[in-house]
Amino acid sequence: MTDAPETDVPPTSAPQSSNRWRRFAEWDARPLRHDLFAAENPEAGFSVFHSPYDPAPSLSIEGGRVTVMDGKAAADFDILDAFIAAHHIDPAMAEVAMAMDPGEIARKLVDINVPRPELEALARGLTPARLAEVVGRLSALEIAFAYSKMRQRQTPGNQAHVTNAKDDPLQLAADAAVAVALGFDEIETTMRVASNSWANALACTVGAAVGRGGVLFQCSIEEAEELQIGLAGLSSYAETVSVYGTERAFIDGDDTPWSKALLTAAYASRGIKARCTSGAAAELLMGFHEQRSLLYLEARCLCLQRAMGVQGTQNGGIDGAPLTASMAGGVRELMAENLIAVWLGLECASGNDCRTSESEIRVGAKITPYLLAGSDLICSGFGSIKKYDNSFNPSLFNGEEIEDYLLLQRDFQTDGGLTPVEEDQVLGLRVRAVEALAAVMEELGLGSVPRARMMSVVFASGSEETVSYTPGEVTPISAAIKARGLTAIDVVRALGKRGFTEEAENLLLMLRQRISGDYLQTSALVRDGRVMSAINDPNDYRGPGTGYRMPEKRWQQVQGIRNVLTRERVLAAENVVAGAGGAEVDWLVAAGPAAKGANPHEVVIGVSPGFARQLHQTTAGHALADVVAALVGGITAGGGTARLVRMLHTADTSFLGLAAARLSGSGFGIGIQAKGTTVLHQADRMPHMNLELFSNAPLTGLDHYRALGRNAARHTFGETPEPVMVATHGEALGARFHVRVALLYAIETGLIEPTVHPIELAYRPERRALEAAQ
Amino acid sequence: MSANPPSDLDLYPVAEKAPERVQTPTGKPLSALTLEAVLAGEIGAEDIAITPEALKLQAKIARAAGRETLAANFERAADLVGVPQELILDTYELLRPGRAENAEQLLDRAALLRRDYGATRVATLIEEAAAVYARRGLFVKRF
C-alpha cells in the first residue's frame, strides 16, 4: 500500500478503543456466531447423554409380565412405559440381555465378529435406560462404526424435500423430476397453505414419474388428510406419525401410543409405507422434558416405535436437531439415537434434514459420519430446492449446496445416494415435467396452463424467479381434485391419453407395488421398478470386504461431476503446442551456446525448457512475451542489462535461477518457469537460499515481474532493495490451480535434457509486435 | 434341491417371487394392471388397494425375518382393510386423549370392530388402551 502512513500504527480504520485482541472481533463476524450454545442444566432439561434424574436401568418380570421397568413399578407406568412393557420387551430375551454387562454389549456393537441379528435379538430384551446406557459408552467414531454395521438395508439411499414458496404445481413437478434424476429414493412435499395439499400431491406425483421414475412420494399434512391423499394413490408413504418421550408431551401432541399404533396399522391397511418421527429435544421444545436426558427420552421413543410395529423411524433430532446441537456432545447424541433406532431393527431416515448451524464447516462435519457409515435415508429430507423455497425450513443441505454434497461422495468414495446431473438432461426433464402436468390438468379439467408460465418455471432456480401460480390460485385446483375424488388412476389415464406413455407406465408401476405390499417391509425403496428392503438387501457388514461396496458402475456415476479436467482439456485451454518439437517464437530465438558474461551490471534471465515454445502463458494468464518485457524493462530501469538464456538441463525454479546467476557477469540471475514461478538468485548461494521468490504464480502480475527485474539490477550495484511481495489473501491456490500446474509442469520436465548446455537466446521484442498484429 | 428348508423369506419380493399369491381386491392378477387396461377403462381406483391376504403374507415374511412387532402391525392392518375409512378415522379420533369420556366408549368401539369386521387384533389394542387410559386419567376432556 503506497498510501499507508509511515508510522507503526496498525493499518486498520478501527481505533484501538478496547483492550481486546482484534481476532475476536473477526470471529464475531463469522456466520458461526449466529449459532447459540447452551450450557448443561438437567433441571431445565438441558442434559444430553445422562441426567441425574434418569432412572437406573432395571427390569423385573413375573409370570411373563413386566412388573418393574427402569425403576418404576407397573402400577406407576405412564402411557409410554405401559406400551413398551407390553409390546417391546421380549421376556425370554430380557432375562439374558439385562443380565449382561453393558460394557460387553457396547463392545459387541463394534465387534465385526458379532452379527447384526444377534445384537437385534439382544435389543428386544433391553429397557430404554439400558439401551441409552450402552450407546453412551461409545465414542462418536464407535457410534458411526456401529451404525454402519447395524443399519438395516445394505444399499444407502436419500430423501428429498420438494416444496416451493408459492405452492406452484408447475415448479413442484419440474423440481420433483430433477430430484428423481439426482437419485433421491423418496420425495417429501408440504405446503405453505394447508388447503393446497391435493394440488401439491398431484404435481409431485406427475413430476416424480418423469425420467427414471419409481420413487416413493409423500405429502406431509394433518393425519386424516394424508391418509385420504394416500388412499387416492397420490402418495405412497407417510412419516408424520410423531411420537414423544414423555407422557405429557405425547398428550400435548394430541395422541397416545395406541392412537398412533392404530394410525400405523391404518396406513399399512391402505398399502402405504409408514415411518414414525421422533428426535431429541422435541420434549424440551414442547416444555415437558421431566428433567430427563435427551438420549433416555429418545430411547423411550424408539422402543415405543418398535413396540407399535412400525417398520421405521425418521430420527436424529429432526426439528429438535438445532437445539440438540447447541449442547456439548449434542451432535454425538444425534448419532447415538440413530444407532438405537437401527439396533432395534428400525429403518432409519437419519435426520440431517434441518440446518443445525449457520457455519458451513459445522454443516459439512455433521453429514460426514453419515456419508461414511451410510444410512437407509441419509437425510430425512435433503433440500433439493433452494433454502427459501423449503416449506419445512432449510435442510442441512439444500439446492444451493448439492454440488458440495456430490463432491463429498467423490472425495470419500462413498455413496450418499445422489448422482450428478448434466445441464441438458435437467432442462429436458423440467420441460417434460411441466408439459406432463399441464396435459394432466387439461385432461382432468383442472384448467389450461399458459405456455409462458411453463417456460418461466423451466429455467427458474427458485420461485422468486417465476411468473406462475400463486398460492391463492392453487387452492381451487386443490379443492377440485379432492371434491371430484380424482385418483392416481385418473392421472395414469390422463398421461396415457396425452402421449406421456413412459410417465404413465412409471406411475402405474408404483401403484402396482401397492397390491403386493412389498414396500411395506423394513427399509423398502423402489429402484428401477424393483423393491429393495432389509429383507432382500440386508446389511451383512462383517468387516473389510463385506457390506456395501459401491459397484463399479455406481462409482463411475458418482465421479461424473461437472468440469473434471483431463490432460487434453487443460492443454487445449492453455494453448499448448503438443509434442517436444514446439516451434520457437520469433521474439525469442536460439543463438548458440551461452557463455559467462563479463558486464558487472548484467542480469541473466534463465527460462525453462518449454518457455515460449510449448507453453505461452503463466497460470495467472499473462503472455510470456509480456512477462519477459516486464522483467527486461525492470532490469533496464534499474540500470542493469538483461540477457536471456534457455536452460534445458533443469525445469526447477531454484536451479534455473542459480544457473542463470552463474552465467551472469554480476553473479545475479533470474530463473523463471513457463507457468510464471520466478526466483532471484545469486551465484554463490545454496540452491534454495534465494534472494527473492514468486512462488504463487497465479497471483503474480506484470508489475511484480517488473519490480523484481529492477531489484535484480539494484543488487548489481551492491544495494539490498526491499523484496517484492506478492500479497495473498488466503486463496486455496492448490485447489484452484494444481491440476493445471501438474499437467503443465509435466510438459516442462518432459523436455529436460540433462547434458545439454544452456542456450543463448536472442530477444527481439519488435518481432512480437509483428506477431501480435498478424 | 435346496439345502435349506423353504422359508417365507423366499417369497420376497412377492411381486417377483410369488406374484400368483396376490391379487387386487377385485380379483385381478398383478399382470392385469397394464396401461392398456387402464386406458380401456378396465382398471379403476378400487383395483389399487392391498388385500388382507397380501398383508397376512407380508406378516409371515416379517415374522420369518425376526420382526415380530412389524408382523403384528401387518396383521392389525389386515383387520382394517375392510373397515371403512370414516370408521377408521373416527376410531383414531376416539383414541386421542380426552375424546372418549370413559372406558365404555372405547370398549364399545372395540366390540363393534370385532363383531362387524372381525377386527380382533385391533379390538384387543383398543381394550388395552381403555385400561391404561383409565389408570392414567386420559378420559378427562381437553378444551
Side-chain angles (χ1 to χ4, degrees), chain A residues 74-79 82-83 86-88 116 120 124 152 222-224 227-228 231 247 250-266 268-271 306-311 345-346 487 489 492-493 496-497 501 504-505 508 511-522 524 529-536, chain B residues 9 11-17 22-25 28 30-31 33-36 38-51 54-55 57-59 61-62 65-74 76-86 88-89 91-93 95-97 99 113 122 125-126 128-129 132-133 135-136 138 142:
Chain A
D76 300 324
F77 280 173
D78 66 16
I79 53 175
F83 203 100
H87 299 282
H88 162 65
R116 178 169 63 87
E120 283 174 25
R124 297 198 279 270
Q152 298 291 305
E222 187 271 329
E223 273 92 354
L227 199 53
Q228 297 278 16
L231 194 60
E247 183 174 89
F250 222 119
I251 289 171
D252 209 47
D254 206 16
D255 268 298
T256 74
W258 288 268
S259 68
K260 289 298 194 188
L262 180 85
L263 193 62
T264 300
S269 78
R270 270 52 184 160
R306 193 186 89 75
M308 285 161 54
V310 72
Q311 63 82 31
L346 296 169
T487 70
I489 285 293
V492 172
R493 195 176 294 125
K497 266 176 124 172
T501 310
E505 292 280 12
L508 187 59
L511 297 176
R512 207 181 286 134
Q513 295 291 353
R514 184 168 293 201
I515 317 288
S516 63
D518 287 325
Y519 69 46
L520 302 179
Q521 295 287 354
T522 305
R530 304 183 63 190
V531 174
M532 285 166 69
S533 72
I535 306 270
N536 62 343
Chain B
L9 292 177
L11 299 174
Y12 188 88
V14 174
E16 291 171 32
K17 302 274 183 65
V22 290
Q23 51 188 12
T24 72
K28 298 188 182 81
L30 278 180
S31 58
L33 297 177
T34 63
L35 182 54
E36 295 69 34
V38 172
L39 289 174
E42 294 160 13
I43 303 291
E46 67 281 3
D47 291 297
I48 307 301
I50 195 162
T51 59
L55 282 161
L57 183 57
Q58 293 294 350
I61 292 166
R67 301 175 188 276
E68 177 57 40
T69 59
L70 180 61
N73 175 52
F74 290 156
R76 284 192 289 269
D79 274 5
L80 289 175
V81 170
V83 180
Q85 187 86 344
E86 295 68 31
I88 290 180
L89 291 174
T91 304
Y92 171 56
E93 184 65 16
L95 278 169
R96 290 178 129 171
R99 305 305 201 278
L113 287 168
V122 173
L125 186 79
I126 297 171
E128 185 186 303
V132 178
Y133 287 16
R135 187 171 57 76
R136 299 302 294 173
L138 296 194
R142 303 172 78 228

Side-chain angles (χ1 to χ4, degrees), chain A residues 112-319:
Chain A
I112 57 172
N113 299 307
V114 179
R116 178 169 63 87
E118 182 182 326
L119 281 153
E120 283 174 25
L122 278 179
R124 297 198 279 270
L126 295 176
T127 65
R130 178 55 54 81
L131 286 163
E133 182 191 3
V134 171
V135 297
R137 293 184 179 224
L138 303 179
S139 71
L141 182 65
E142 289 161 348
I143 292 170
F145 181 76
Y147 188 80
S148 73
K149 171 180 145 181
M150 296 303 298
R151 63 189 186 77
Q152 298 291 305
R153 184 188 349 95
Q154 179 123 297
T155 309
N158 214 335
Q159 182 199 99
H161 288 161
V162 176
T163 63
N164 66 64
K166 295 176 179 169
D167 291 343
D168 173 14
L170 292 174
Q171 192 188 335
L172 287 166
D175 288 345
V178 173
V180 172
L182 281 164
F184 288 106
D185 293 300
E186 289 187 356
I187 287 176
E188 180 183 25
T189 193
T190 195
M191 298 65 58
R192 296 292 160 115
V193 179
S195 47
N196 289 343
S197 57
W198 289 81
N200 266 45
L202 177 78
C204 286
T205 295
V206 172
V210 172
R212 180 173 66 96
V215 305
L216 295 169
F217 165 68
Q218 83 144 319
C219 181
S220 175
I221 188 167
E222 187 271 329
E223 273 92 354
E225 196 82 354
E226 186 159 340
L227 199 53
Q228 297 278 16
I229 290 172
L231 194 60
L234 296 174
S235 71
S236 38
Y237 79 97
E239 67 181 11
T240 50
V241 189
S242 302
V243 305
Y244 307 99
T246 64
E247 183 174 89
R248 290 191 67 191
F250 222 119
I251 289 171
D252 209 47
D254 206 16
D255 268 298
T256 74
W258 288 268
S259 68
K260 289 298 194 188
L262 180 85
L263 193 62
T264 300
Y267 278 116
S269 78
R270 270 52 184 160
I272 300 166
K273 174 181 173 175
R275 73 171 66 95
C276 285
T277 292
S278 68
E283 301 81 8
L284 192 50
L285 285 169
M286 295 170 82
F288 298 111
H289 50 72
E290 296 181 358
Q291 303 180 331
R292 306 289 205 267
S293 68
L294 303 183
L295 186 62
Y296 168 66
L297 292 184
E298 199 46 38
R300 275 160 63 90
C301 288
L302 290 162
C303 287
L304 181 67
Q305 291 169 58
R306 193 186 89 75
M308 285 161 54
V310 72
Q311 63 82 31
T313 182
Q314 170 181 229
N315 169 267
I318 317 302
D319 292 343

Side-chain angles (χ1 to χ4, degrees), chain A residues 446-462:
Chain A
L446 296 170
S448 127
V449 182
R451 188 83 191 159
R453 287 193 172 190
M454 291 159 63
M455 286 303 112
S456 138
V457 163
V458 163
F459 295 101
S461 177

Side-chain angles (χ1 to χ4, degrees), chain A residues 80-104:
Chain A
L80 283 98
D81 300 317
F83 203 100
I84 290 167
H87 299 282
H88 162 65
I89 298 290
D90 174 343
M93 185 50 73
E95 204 167 324
V96 183
M98 286 301 285
M100 281 175 73
D101 168 36
E104 187 191 340

Side-chain angles (χ1 to χ4, degrees), chain A residues 433-486:
Chain A
V434 295
E435 286 179 345
L437 181 64
V440 167
M441 287 177 65
E442 272 185 31
E443 194 65 30
L444 298 180
L446 296 170
S448 127
V449 182
R451 188 83 191 159
R453 287 193 172 190
M454 291 159 63
M455 286 303 112
S456 138
V457 163
V458 163
F459 295 101
S461 177
S463 66
E464 285 178 4
E465 303 160 32
T466 62
V467 183
S468 186
Y469 289 89
T470 65
E473 288 177 313
V474 175
T475 304
I477 298 171
S478 188
I481 298 168
K482 182 180 181 179
R484 290 171 46 202
L486 295 175

